[in-house]
Amino acid sequence: MHAQELEKIITNLREMEGRFEKPPTDTAPHLNSVDRAAFKRLMLEAKGILDTVLGLNDFGAPLLLMTTLPGYGACNPPLLEQYHEAIGLVEGGLNQVHRKSSQVGKPRGAMSKPMYVDPARILQLRGSKSPQWDLKRLVRMLEELNSAHEHELHMATAMLVRAVTDHVPPIFNAKNFSEVANNYPAPRSFTDQMKQLDNSLRKIADMHLHQTVRKAEVLPLAPQVDFRGALDVLLSEVVRLLQ
C-alpha cells in the first residue's frame, strides 16, 4: 500500500514536470501557484510515508528541505534541477521501501518482526487536524520507538513508551498519566490497560533509567518491554478524542 502511494506521488510529479512555465523574460522556468502548492503537499506526503515505513531514514530531511526553500514564485525555487532532485529523493525512498518489504538476505521461512506501533496508527495521528495540540513530537517518539524495537534496543523501548505516556495527559485534560489511569471516565477495559502502563511499565522504565552500575548485569529481552497492546489502546483513544 505504501509503495503504491509513493508510486502515485512520483507519477504526479512527473506529470507536473511538463507544466514548468517559461516566462517571457530570461528568468528560469517555474511552476504556477497551483502546482507549487501541490509540489509542497507531495513532498510532505512522501516524507510522512517514508518516516512511517522506514522510521529514521536518509530521505526525510531532504524532502522536508524541499518544502522550506526560500520561495515559490518566478525566479524562486523549486528550480527545474531542484525539482528533478525531489523526484530522485522520492524514487530512492521507494526503492528503500521495496528493499524493506522484500527482506533481502532473510532466511527462508523467517517471519518479519511486527512494528511496536502500527504504521496505520501513526498515520492517523499525523493526519490529526487538532487546533489545540501539536502532535509532531508524539509522532516522532513513536517513530523512534519503532526504530528502537526493530534494532532490539529494549531499554530505549521502555523509556520511549514511558515518554509517550508522560506526553499525552493534557489531551485527556489530566496533569499526569496517573490521573489518566485512575480518573479518566472510560470503560473498565480501557482503565485496566492504562493501569498496566502506569504501574508495570513505569516501574520497568524507572529500573532501566535509574539503575546505577553493578558488578553483574542481565540485560532485558523483548517480553519485558512488550506493552504494545496497552499502548495502542491509549493511542486509539487519542485519535478518537482528536477527531
Side-chain angles (χ1 to χ4, degrees):
M1 179 183 69
H2 295 107
Q4 293 175 345
E5 291 174 348
L6 289 171
E7 289 169 355
K8 184 177 179 181
I9 288 174
I10 292 170
T11 298
N12 289 337
L13 288 170
R14 292 209 174 278
E15 291 176 351
M16 197 185 303
E17 182 181 2
R19 297 199 294 271
F20 265 78
E21 298 177 351
K22 178 63 176 176
T25 62
D26 291 332
T27 55
H30 61 275
L31 294 172
N32 62 38
S33 60
V34 174
D35 282 341
R36 290 197 298 272
F39 172 78
K40 187 171 184 178
R41 172 180 59 80
L42 291 171
M43 291 298 97
L44 291 173
E45 288 181 359
K47 180 185 182 301
I49 294 169
L50 293 174
D51 287 351
T52 297
V53 178
L54 303 177
L56 299 176
N57 65 90
D58 294 331
F59 301 98
L63 285 172
L64 184 60
L65 181 62
M66 289 292 172
T67 71
T68 56
L69 294 168
Y72 285 94
C75 306
N76 289 320
L79 299 174
L80 191 56
E81 56 266 30
Q82 293 168 325
Y83 192 85
H84 291 156
E85 180 183 353
I87 295 174
L89 286 170
V90 181
E91 289 176 334
L94 175 60
N95 290 338
Q96 194 70 12
V97 170
H98 284 316
R99 292 188 192 100
K100 187 178 181 69
S101 300
S102 63
Q103 298 290 309
V104 175
K106 196 167 187 179
R108 182 175 298 178
M111 299 294 290
S112 61
K113 179 190 294 186
M115 293 186 180
Y116 203 96
V117 182
D118 193 301
R121 190 69 73 200
I122 296 177
L123 281 175
Q124 289 173 344
L125 291 165
R126 182 180 283 113
S128 171
K129 304 300 182 184
S130 171
Q132 188 174 7
W133 309 112
D134 187 338
L135 301 187
K136 286 196 294 289
R137 184 178 178 87
L138 174 60
V139 168
R140 184 62 173 181
M141 284 193 288
L142 297 177
E143 292 170 345
E144 293 188 8
L145 176 55
N146 276 345
S147 181
H149 174 65
E150 180 180 3
H151 292 90
E152 299 185 351
L153 307 179
H154 303 311
M155 288 184 285
T157 295
M159 297 171 194
L160 282 164
V161 178
R162 176 178 173 177
V164 170
T165 63
D166 287 341
H167 187 67
V168 299
I171 298 175
F172 293 84
N173 196 30
K175 295 180 180 178
N176 53 57
F177 193 74
S178 291
E179 286 190 11
V180 177
N182 294 287
N183 300 329
Y184 180 68
R188 181 174 178 179
S189 56
F190 177 87
T191 301
D192 288 346
Q193 295 292 322
M194 297 308 100
K195 287 182 177 179
Q196 181 187 11
L197 291 174
D198 191 42
N199 296 320
S200 181
L201 162 69
R202 186 168 294 275
K203 290 177 181 177
I204 289 173
D206 282 350
M207 176 177 65
H208 295 305
L209 275 167
H210 305 302
Q211 177 63 58
T212 56
V213 64
R214 299 181 291 188
K215 291 184 178 180
E217 290 289 353
V218 177
L219 297 177
L221 298 177
Q224 186 180 126
V225 298
D226 187 1
F227 295 92
R228 287 176 291 181
L231 178 62
D232 187 65
V233 170
L234 172 64
L235 296 175
S236 66
E237 185 67 2
V238 170
V239 171
R240 188 187 72 82
L241 289 174
L242 299 182
Q243 285 179 343

